[in-house]
Amino acid sequence: MGYKTFEEYTIQTTEELKNNYTKIIQELGENTDREGLVKTPERAAKAMQFLTQGYDQDATQIIKSAMFREDYNEMVIVKDIELYSLCEHHMLPFFGKAHIAYIPNGYIVGLSKLPRIVDVFARRLQVQERLTHDILECINNTLNPQGVAVVIEASHMCMMMRGVQKQNSTTTTSGFRGQFEKIETRNEFLKLISTDLS
């Protein structure tokens, strides 16, 4: 399956998740018959399916669906791609921006597909390190460019709401393949994603 353009939920999965959320809310001491909570288990069940829909999507097929032969062989960058994911350790959100660059090697990919790939991997239970690696390897292995680079900057609610409770910390992860392993190419990319060209 490529990607979904609308929300759809399996009735059986929704019911099972709804029942589980009802039990969780009750175990926390709440009354699930209270007006504000009557529909919460169903809403939470649908929200969790939406937030983890990446398990049902194939990032490789998304790239393959929009690969075009092209002689262009300079750097292509899509930066400031919003991302929202769930930390697999606490199931709390982390969110931020992804910056992706590649140098074509006979093929380019439709620009909208790079944010879609980010969403596919972000819509799973994740850690930022693996998310960075998954995006990098998918592009590298499918598009076979001369080089690919991925940088992710994110804030983690598991560090902000609980644990160390540090509100202003951000985490940056990066990965580089091919031409981006050369310091001059990497530096050009890092300069471009940190510069406002408008």
Side-chain angles (χ1 to χ4, degrees), residues 19-37:
N19 292 337
N20 289 332
Y21 275 115
T22 299
K23 291 175 185 174
I24 290 170
I25 294 168
Q26 290 170 344
E27 286 295 323
L28 292 173
E30 266 288 3
N31 174 12
T32 50
D33 294 324
R34 184 162 64 78
E35 182 182 12
L37 290 175

Side-chain angles (χ1 to χ4, degrees), residues 83-122:
L83 70 87
Y84 302 90
S85 192
L86 291 175
C87 163
E88 68 180 35
H89 299 142
H90 303 96
M91 294 177 68
L92 288 173
F94 67 92
F95 55 92
K97 298 181 293 186
H99 314 287
I100 299 174
Y102 74 97
I103 300 173
N105 186 24
Y107 286 91
I108 59 170
V109 65
L111 294 177
S112 70
K113 300 308 182 235
L114 297 179
R116 290 194 189 279
I117 293 163
V118 171
D119 285 345
V120 167
F121 291 115

Side-chain angles (χ1 to χ4, degrees), residues 119-138:
D119 285 345
V120 167
F121 291 115
R123 297 299 190 192
R124 301 176 183 187
L125 300 181
Q126 276 287 12
V127 294
Q128 186 174 328
E129 296 88 343
R130 185 189 315 116
L131 177 59
T132 305
H133 178 266
D134 287 348
I135 296 167
L136 181 79
E137 290 301 314
C138 179

